[in-house]
Amino acid sequence: MMIKTVKRYPYLLCGLLFVGSSYAFAQELNVTVQDQQGKPVQDAIVYIEGSNVKTAKPKVEQDIIQKGRQFHPLVTVVQTGTNIKFPNQDRVKHHVYSFSPAKKFELKLYSGVPATPVIFDQAGTVVLGCNIHDRMLAYVYIVDTPLFAKTNAQGLAVISDLPSGQYKVNTWHYALKNENTPVAQTVNLAEKTSATVKLDINAAVLVIEK
């Protein structure tokens, strides 16, 4: 009778355990953003920097839609190098532009979808407008990291799949009194997985989204 031998692969097993452990130690950071009165701040941008943050190419192309003579969304956050399209879903034509140093561009009077997207290739704040409709306004915030999120109506931003370590957590909002200077703090994920950020907000600049 023949006896079959079973080969064992200790190195493969160790490798699988190592891969599994890396996922097991991935954590989630919850950041709550509030104004001076402790009220939640929507549309704040939270992004993470640190020595263990790996750079990566932008994964997807973004859309900023014009509908009802408004930009949707009001605030967009993207990684440096992201392409953004500007579909016009209105019956009237729009003329989208920006004079911001981080990205100066102009999409002259058009309907539908411009053939070429706009590449946002420099970190910073971009304010969008329409030459035809002065009330149209939107913001694009470009960051050099793939780890970012935007707060919801409850003022919460969640960034997932973070290895344990120390990070610089930056928070920005278009209505900051100190304009384009984000609020920064250091968070060590080995000690805590949540943080609260207080922003000095200029209420007169806030835009109520419809």
Side-chain angles (χ1 to χ4, degrees):
M1 181 175 64
M2 296 182 63
I3 299 176
K4 293 184 178 180
T5 58
V6 179
K7 294 183 179 179
R8 301 187 183 276
Y9 300 90
Y11 297 106
L12 177 59
L13 179 60
C14 290
L16 290 173
L17 288 174
F18 176 78
V19 172
S21 65
S22 66
Y23 282 97
F25 286 105
Q27 299 184 57
E28 184 177 87
L29 178 63
N30 295 272
V31 180
T32 301
V33 182
Q34 300 173 343
D35 65 10
Q36 305 94 311
Q37 287 76 42
K39 296 180 181 179
V41 176
Q42 187 175 5
D43 289 327
I45 304 304
V46 178
Y47 60 103
I48 290 179
E49 297 174 316
S51 58
N52 51 351
V53 175
K54 296 180 179 179
T55 57
K57 291 183 178 180
K59 295 180 180 179
V60 294
E61 194 171 68
Q62 299 280 344
D63 283 353
I64 297 178
I65 298 169
Q66 297 134 75
K67 187 176 181 180
R69 299 185 183 185
Q70 288 185 331
F71 289 106
H72 301 276
L74 170 66
V75 178
T76 300
V77 55
V78 296
Q79 185 182 347
T80 310
T82 299
N83 292 330
I84 297 183
K85 289 183 178 179
F86 292 85
N88 179 5
Q89 297 183 0
D90 283 332
R91 293 183 178 180
V92 297
K93 292 183 178 181
H94 291 301
H95 185 142
V96 180
Y97 72 92
S98 169
F99 294 142
S100 301
K103 188 64 184 182
K104 296 180 181 180
F105 73 96
E106 186 176 18
L107 300 175
K108 294 185 178 180
L109 210 60
Y110 73 95
S111 298
V113 183
T116 305
V118 179
I119 302 175
F120 288 77
D121 49 7
Q122 181 179 336
T125 306
V126 175
V127 182
L128 304 176
C130 175
N131 263 337
I132 309 301
H133 308 99
D134 292 338
R135 293 184 179 181
M136 289 179 65
L137 180 69
Y139 301 88
V140 181
Y141 197 69
I142 308 107
V143 295
D144 286 328
T145 169
L147 301 176
F148 55 81
K150 185 170 70 172
T151 57
N152 58 20
Q154 289 72 46
L156 178 64
V158 179
I159 301 178
S160 304
D161 298 326
L162 293 172
S164 182
Q166 184 168 289
Y167 296 94
K168 181 182 178 183
V169 180
N170 303 283
T171 306
W172 171 90
H173 190 270
Y174 65 86
L176 275 171
K177 285 185 178 180
N178 201 11
E179 296 184 349
N180 290 326
T181 303
V183 174
Q185 63 175 281
T186 300
V187 173
N188 191 334
L189 281 180
E191 300 172 355
K192 62 178 183 178
T193 57
S194 63
T196 300
V197 179
K198 294 276 189 176
L199 297 183
D200 197 5
I201 294 294
N202 184 353
V205 181
L206 288 174
V207 177
I208 300 176
E209 295 183 79
K210 297 180 180 179

